[in-house]
Amino acid sequence: MDAVTSPPTPYNEPVRSYAPGTEERESLRRRLAELGGTRHELTQTIGGVQRLAGGKSFDVVRPHDHSQVLGVSAEATREDVAEAVRAAKDASGAWAETSYDERAAVFLRAADLLAGPWRDTINGATMLGQSKSVQQAEIDAACELIDFLRFNAHYGRRILAEQPRSTPGVWNRLEYRPLDGFVTAITPFNFTAIAGNLPTAPALMGNTVVWKPTPTQQLAAHFTMRVLEAAGLPPGVINLVTGRGEAVSEVALTDPGLGGLHFTGSTGTFRMLWRTIGEHLDTYRAYPRIVGETGGKDFVVAHSSADPAALVTALVRGAFEYQGQKCSAVSRAYLPRSLWESGLREELADVTRTIRYGDISDFSNFGGAVIDARAFAKHRALFDRVADDPSVDVLVGGGTDDSVGYFVEPTVLVGTDPGHEVFATEYFGPILAVHVYEDGDYSRVLDLVDEASPYALTGAVFATDRSAVEQAHRRLRFTAGNFYVNDKPTGSVVSQQPFGGSRSSGTNDKAGSVFNLVRWTSPRSVKETFVPPTDHRYPHMG
Ligand SMILES: NC(=O)c1ccc[n+]([C@@H]2O[C@H](COP(=O)([O-])OP(=O)(O)OC[C@H]3O[C@@H](n4cnc5c(N)ncnc54)[C@H](O)[C@@H]3O)[C@@H](O)[C@H]2O)c1
Ligand SMILES: N[C@@H](CCC=O)C(=O)O
């Protein structure tokens, strides 16, 4: 029997400190040692069955110590993806018929498993596989993923409660069906939470899913799948395929039964996937929903009234946490000459020099390595380019070393030309470009901030002068989907700062909010007339 219920009141998972002497620190250390001491078989999961993909095998390594192999996985073949699509289609009928509460209970149970017995595993896998410090793993793999699961269950209920008006003799209802087809979720390396949210949000709304995480996030994705199974997710609802993804775009994205694409990753990849769907537009049963959150060139603009200590902290944390590999990371800053020349330059350089990257198992390190050899080479190439460029000075950093891990020094570049690539291109590494402007040019600099880059993801203004805040607020209305005042532009929290940007940064469907979940339902409007008319003539006919 249906009942009007409400899921438990959601709350943000408290962030643990892992400070010296705490039990949580020792427990995580033990799990890190176990996880690092095993060579994991990183299988696909299709229709509930785990097996290695049929294509070329590859190793998953620790980015900060790339000779250490964490596990072996393999490229999904076209046949593997076709099997995953079949499994998603086979499971769709029963899952769509499962009540919302039953579906939500699976994900709420997964949240509590992650908060409790699985916490060390998901954090440890994220630290080892994606080279995150304990703090960065905790806010991502544990807290943000738990928050996505808890709050989505709550937001989904809000959608169900959204019902049309009825009039005497007529009952109007909205029935929230899943999409008319399966969803493909393709996820990035940098957030275990995002990788977990992209398949589970559509599944909560009754869709079945083909999920392709990225090879460098495979270890944490493997355990995310195990948590979902432990929470009672039926076989075939989420089907995990492994590898780089060409077979996924060739087979899953071109299948006539594709209902939607839930993507997070780079702008280039998203455009390519959208084009693939566009090229097959005439073949789909229904128009696929496309949600994609992509790259950023996130800014901090400071007014001469800014508090320098708060500004330096925000720049250093915003640019160098997780080695600058957050889509929200500060990668360009516009700073007034008066502050720059009265100590800000030295303070920024000094604090940046104290940032230590190394093995994340050493908890005294601030961060680890960049994700892989490709990212490393891209940053190295940039440093080589700017070395001969008279318009760019290296204030601090610029060094790289890949002998053990893919290490790139926290780097501050100072550029005199605000049109230079360092103010426009997303490098996705620990590289902050600074442009120093004359104090009187604040209005002009706001125009620059808006126009220098094609992205519009996150950004921040630092000022104590209220009119300067107000001016930035207005002028930068479309420059960031997440705008911060006197705070770093990273670290959004589910339910507090719904996340996403527009322009080249994505479709801005705000992950972890009601706006995102709405994209995964296809409502049916039902009108029931209790006593229907029995005469076709209208009164005006006499
Ligand atoms: N806006 C956001 O919310 C947000 C959040 C996190 C990351 N990001 C962005 O993600 C990027 C970093 O992540 P990344 O390096 O993993 O991105 P990426 O574009 O390299 O990869 C993303 C996913 O696409 C897959 N992929 C690549 N080519 C494919 C193909 N031909 N067919 C199918 N799948 C394919 C990858 O294997 C991976 O799973 C950055 O640009 C960052 O800004 C954005
Ligand atoms: N919630 C994260 C999202 C980062 C994406 O890569 C942040 O706001 O920093």
Side-chain angles (χ1 to χ4, degrees):
M1 195 174 65
D2 287 344
V4 179
T5 63
S6 50
T9 306
Y11 60 96
N12 290 117
E13 178 63 18
V15 178
R16 293 184 180 172
S17 77
Y18 300 91
T22 55
E23 167 48 30
E24 66 217 27
R25 183 178 174 106
E26 291 322 307
S27 165
L28 176 60
R29 277 198 182 291
R30 285 192 293 275
R31 192 66 184 121
L32 269 175
E34 286 164 8
L35 287 168
T38 311
R39 204 180 163 101
H40 303 267
E41 188 175 69
L42 302 173
T43 58
Q44 310 194 104
T45 305
I46 299 179
V49 177
Q50 281 189 57
R51 66 164 177 78
L52 270 183
K56 196 168 176 292
S57 71
F58 58 85
D59 289 338
V60 172
V61 302
R62 304 180 196 209
H64 45 275
D65 191 353
H66 44 57
S67 67
Q68 299 289 314
V69 177
L70 292 163
V72 64
S73 191
E75 293 292 335
T77 60
R78 293 175 65 100
E79 291 70 31
D80 291 326
V81 180
E83 197 184 323
V85 168
R86 245 187 334 269
K89 288 180 179 175
D90 290 347
S92 66
W95 187 241
E97 290 306 313
T98 303
S99 72
Y100 179 82
D101 286 0
E102 285 300 318
R103 295 196 306 257
V106 170
F107 298 112
L108 289 171
R109 181 165 150 73
D112 279 16
L113 290 172
L114 285 163
W118 285 83
R119 195 180 195 116
D120 289 342
T121 300
I122 205 71
N123 275 336
T126 302
M127 291 171 73
L128 291 168
Q130 291 142 263
S131 206
K132 288 207 171 188
S133 70
V134 58
Q135 163 74 14
Q136 294 302 311
E138 169 75 2
I139 61 168
D140 161 23
C143 299
E144 190 166 341
L145 180 50
I146 294 165
D147 289 354
F148 275 135
L149 294 166
R150 286 192 185 137
F151 280 93
N152 278 346
H154 169 74
Y155 295 136
R157 257 270 163 236
R158 257 174 52 188
I159 293 174
L160 265 52
E162 180 62 37
Q163 291 295 327
R165 213 166 56 80
S166 293
T167 50
V170 171
W171 189 5
N172 294 317
R173 279 166 280 172
L174 267 184
E175 177 196 344
Y176 289 94
R177 306 171 301 183
L179 304 183
D180 195 3
F182 68 94
V183 172
T184 299
I186 300 181
T187 59
F189 79 83
N190 68 333
F191 267 74
T192 294
I194 295 174
N197 182 47
L198 267 51
T200 52
L204 172 71
M205 300 309 283
N207 300 279
T208 55
V209 180
V210 173
W211 170 31
K212 196 209 75 68
T214 201
T216 42
Q217 197 261 334
Q218 196 62 57
L219 186 65
H222 177 79
F223 287 111
T224 303
M225 197 66 213
R226 304 288 81 77
V227 174
L228 292 171
E229 288 166 349
L233 188 75
V237 173
I238 294 177
N239 300 280
L240 184 159
V241 295
T242 52
R244 288 193 314 265
E246 284 82 355
V248 173
S249 32
E250 286 166 20
V251 177
L253 291 192
T254 62
D255 189 284
L258 179 75
L261 168 65
H262 202 188
F263 175 82
T264 297
S266 63
T267 302
T269 305
F270 184 49
R271 289 189 173 167
M272 191 255 296
L273 301 178
W274 193 322
R275 266 185 217 112
T276 303
I277 293 174
E279 282 159 12
H280 291 81
L281 202 54
D282 295 336
T283 67
Y284 300 113
R285 188 169 57 226
Y287 293 111
R289 298 270 170 94
I290 302 178
V291 172
E293 306 306 338
T294 61
K297 186 73 184 175
D298 308 304
F299 63 86
V300 163
V301 59
H303 182 253
S304 52
S305 67
D307 169 357
L311 179 58
V312 169
T313 302
L315 289 173
V316 169
R317 284 187 166 176
F320 303 133
E321 280 179 351
Y322 191 36
Q323 300 83 260
Q325 298 172 117
K326 299 187 188 191
C327 55
S328 52
V330 190
S331 54
R332 52 187 178 122
Y334 300 82
L335 308 176
R337 187 168 301 284
S338 60
L339 288 185
W340 187 248
E341 290 182 354
S342 58
L344 184 63
R345 175 177 40 209
E346 291 70 24
E347 185 62 11
L348 179 60
D350 290 348
V351 179
T352 301
R353 277 191 205 97
T354 68
I355 299 290
R356 209 173 66 224
Y357 292 153
D359 187 333
I360 48 70
S361 310
D362 175 351
F363 285 15
S364 68
N365 284 325
F366 188 81
V370 299
I371 194 68
D372 59 15
R374 210 170 113 224
F376 179 86
K378 191 169 64 177
H379 305 326
R380 180 66 266 154
L382 171 70
F383 295 155
D384 289 344
R385 276 201 305 285
V386 298
D388 300 325
D389 188 333
S391 72
V392 179
D393 280 339
V394 180
L395 177 70
V396 53
T400 57
D401 181 354
D402 63 351
S403 53
V404 177
Y406 303 113
F407 288 105
V408 175
E409 280 179 0
T411 298
V412 179
L413 305 174
V414 182
T416 49
D417 171 11
H420 196 281
E421 66 153 302
V422 296
F423 297 102
T425 306
E426 182 187 53
Y427 300 123
F428 222 53
I431 301 164
L432 172 65
V434 168
H435 178 68
V436 179
Y437 71 89
E438 303 307 324
D439 290 28
D441 286 346
Y442 183 63
S443 298
R444 241 177 304 157
V445 107
L446 292 180
D447 291 340
L448 264 181
V449 172
D450 181 58
E451 288 155 14
S453 127
Y455 299 103
L457 190 50
T458 78
V461 59
F462 276 74
T464 53
D465 175 338
R466 206 57 226 174
S467 67
V469 172
E470 217 275 314
Q471 207 181 332
H473 196 102
R474 238 179 317 107
R475 178 62 188 94
L476 302 177
R477 188 160 180 228
F478 288 95
T479 321
N482 282 62
F483 184 65
Y484 295 79
V485 179
N486 291 319
D487 205 342
K488 66 182 169 53
T490 59
S492 68
V493 175
V494 176
S495 83
Q496 298 188 35
Q497 297 90 24
F499 191 81
S502 66
R503 295 187 181 164
S504 292
S505 292
T507 54
N508 196 15
D509 287 288
K510 299 292 186 209
S513 80
V514 80
F515 305 109
N516 177 280
L517 291 184
V518 151
R519 303 299 311 275
W520 309 118
T521 178
S522 176
R524 177 164 72 147
S525 200
V526 178
K527 174 188 180 188
E528 179 170 351
T529 302
F530 295 132
V531 184
T534 52
D535 183 347
H536 78 278
R537 286 169 301 175
Y538 288 102
H540 68 86
M541 296 167 73

